[in-house]
Amino acid sequence: MTSPQNPHIGRPAILAARALIMLSPLGVDIYLPAVPQIAEDLGSQASLSISIYLAGLGLGQLVWGPLSDRMGRRPVAIWGCSLFALLSLLIVFSEGLPEFLGLRLLQGIMASSAAVCATAMVRDCYSGKDAAREYSILMGVLNAVPFAAPLIGGILTAWFSWRSCFAVLTGFGIFLTTWLAWRMPETTPKRIEGGGTHTQILPWTSPVFLGFSVCCCMGLGVVLSYVTLIPYTLMEGYGLSSLEFGALFATNAGLISLVCIAFSRLIARKGPLAVLRLSALLMLGGGVLLVLCLSAWPDVRHVALFMGPVALICIGFSGLMGPARGLAMQPFERGSGKASAVLGTAQMLWAAATSAVALVLPLPSHLILGGITALTAIVSLVIAKIMVRRYGVNVLEGRTVRVQPEV
């Protein structure tokens, strides 16, 4: 089992990373129930604020990642979170739609600093099994946000107005900035070691990074396709009310979060490659089962027939994302900020394109989601096999290979 590369800062850094990873999804999930009210107040195009925020979240990482390698994770995270809080406060007092959308774009860019630093900090402190395990826990924390944030946002919108959601984001941003300034250690390797020039691997020159990044991108594509397709399918196709849908969606988000934590323990025992293969097989089974069940019984309108296979798909991608990210980031003992930025941006662009295609395809949702899931699983299994054959498990998982002395 691998050990922390920076044991004296590992635990505080990981706590900071888990706090940081919550910022970007919170910026979307807490105000989802308020979008109709915002549209009434500012204009019908207010729903564009979600896409604009996600665009800023994806592209901003290309700035913050290299900057965090040069300046350090700590100043980038603190500045990003403090500006996120300021922009949230400005949104509270925004009066027009263009102003609102512009502030949301900037807010997404600032939130991306937290996402890129969280990913890079894990790799700064851990490698191999430990890194993959921590990435899996990060995914669990990330998926815990959709479990609670929409409920909080709904209560705030009902009791006050949509502006109260951004007032809460302001408070969270201030709290997070204060806590980071007090507790967050610096993890960038060259700053810890006192400077110096070190050779850094560029992300696009590493076959390991490129291969497992494909798994990460396609995995997030499955996640966003699920999020995009499931509201229409359950409410229009199966007749669920918004309250029933919200409860089912929250329950599934809670399941995903718990599964991520469970998989993190399995990674510590079996290694990230074994968990990645298992997760891909679960996704493949869920995708095939979804297609077969809904094709075999098209007239049976029971939500369990749809959600049973979907639950298996969710368990699969919950286990896939942590190991795939850990394996992709393994080559970057230094320069992990740049690698995190490239990976994060690629994931956002691929997932956005996949979910957009899923929306326009003239096919039933079970065929689309099942097909995307099965394809992702097959590609992930093929990539894992190729990488193991080329590099070996020990190299991919960062294990120390002891060479026996010649006699």
Side-chain angles (χ1 to χ4, degrees):
M1 182 164 173
T2 55
S3 58
Q5 293 173 195
N6 300 310
H8 64 290
I9 60 172
R11 189 63 183 171
I14 291 304
L15 291 176
R18 293 173 187 174
L20 285 166
I21 203 66
M22 291 191 291
L23 187 66
S24 53
L26 192 63
V28 172
D29 294 326
I30 197 170
Y31 92 111
L32 284 178
V35 170
Q37 192 181 100
I38 299 173
E40 291 179 7
D41 195 6
L42 300 181
S44 60
Q45 299 300 312
S47 59
L48 286 175
S49 62
I50 299 174
S51 301
I52 287 173
Y53 176 88
L54 293 176
L57 187 62
L59 296 175
Q61 294 186 57
L62 293 176
V63 176
W64 293 116
L67 199 61
S68 72
D69 283 338
R70 183 177 295 272
M71 295 177 56
R73 319 292 181 220
R74 179 181 161 86
V76 165
I78 291 173
W79 274 105
C81 291
S82 61
L83 291 173
F84 178 92
L86 175 61
L87 289 163
S88 299
L89 182 61
L90 293 176
I91 290 174
V92 172
F93 298 102
S94 61
E95 296 295 336
L97 184 61
E99 179 186 0
F100 176 71
L101 295 179
L103 290 170
R104 283 293 286 167
L105 175 64
L106 293 175
Q107 193 182 37
I109 292 172
M110 296 310 152
S112 69
S113 67
V116 78
C117 285
T119 300
M121 287 165 67
V122 171
R123 184 59 188 92
D124 290 341
C125 298
Y126 295 96
S127 65
K129 284 185 182 181
D130 287 348
R133 185 194 69 236
E134 292 299 336
Y135 282 126
S136 189
I137 294 174
L138 276 191
M139 293 302 103
V141 174
L142 184 71
N143 284 289
V145 175
F147 180 75
L151 177 61
I152 296 171
I155 293 172
L156 289 170
T157 304
W159 287 2
F160 305 102
S161 75
W162 65 267
R163 297 179 190 274
S164 63
C165 297
F166 292 95
V168 169
L169 286 178
T170 302
F172 182 77
I174 292 171
F175 169 79
L176 186 56
T177 301
T178 305
W179 187 83
L180 292 174
W182 176 46
R183 296 291 295 170
M184 179 180 173
E186 182 56 71
T187 63
T188 311
K190 67 179 181 180
R191 294 180 68 85
I192 295 170
E193 295 165 10
T197 303
H198 302 283
T199 302
Q200 293 184 3
I201 301 172
L202 296 175
W204 46 88
T205 65
S206 169
V208 173
F209 174 80
L210 295 175
F212 288 111
S213 290
V214 171
C215 300
C216 292
C217 291
M218 295 188 74
L220 190 61
V222 173
V223 175
L224 280 195
S225 297
Y226 155 75
V227 171
T228 301
L229 294 172
I230 198 171
Y232 174 80
T233 302
L234 293 182
M235 289 192 281
E236 297 293 329
Y238 289 89
L240 267 64
S241 67
S242 58
L243 183 61
E244 290 171 330
F245 167 74
L248 188 59
F249 188 82
T251 301
N252 214 36
L255 171 67
I256 293 170
S257 184
L258 292 174
V259 168
C260 288
I261 304 300
F263 271 120
S264 71
R265 300 193 175 192
L266 189 59
I267 289 169
R269 294 178 57 194
K270 300 296 183 181
L273 279 165
V275 173
L276 186 145
R277 292 192 195 99
L278 172 62
S279 302
L281 289 172
L282 290 172
M283 289 177 68
L284 181 59
V288 171
L289 195 61
L290 181 63
V291 172
L292 291 179
C293 286
L294 274 295
S295 300
W297 298 287
D299 298 326
V300 179
R301 309 306 294 172
H302 196 288
V303 70
L305 195 64
F306 181 82
M307 286 305 298
V310 166
L312 191 58
I313 291 172
C314 291
I315 291 171
F317 69 61
S318 301
L320 180 80
M321 300 298 285
R325 185 176 289 266
L327 291 163
M329 295 292 293
Q330 178 58 33
F332 302 98
E333 185 175 351
R334 291 183 174 84
S336 58
K338 189 180 296 181
S340 173
V342 172
L343 177 56
T345 302
Q347 280 187 288
M348 292 299 299
L349 294 176
W350 178 274
T354 303
S355 60
V357 170
L359 273 177
V360 300
L361 281 177
L363 295 170
S365 59
H366 68 276
L367 291 180
I368 298 171
L369 184 58
I372 291 173
T373 302
L375 179 62
T376 299
I378 292 168
V379 170
S380 298
L381 289 169
V382 170
I383 288 173
K385 184 170 181 137
I386 291 172
M387 291 297 166
V388 169
R389 184 174 295 175
R390 182 170 180 181
Y391 297 102
V393 174
N394 288 330
V395 172
L396 292 173
E397 295 189 350
R399 299 178 187 173
T400 302
V401 182
R402 295 181 180 178
V403 179
Q404 296 295 331
E406 295 182 5
V407 179

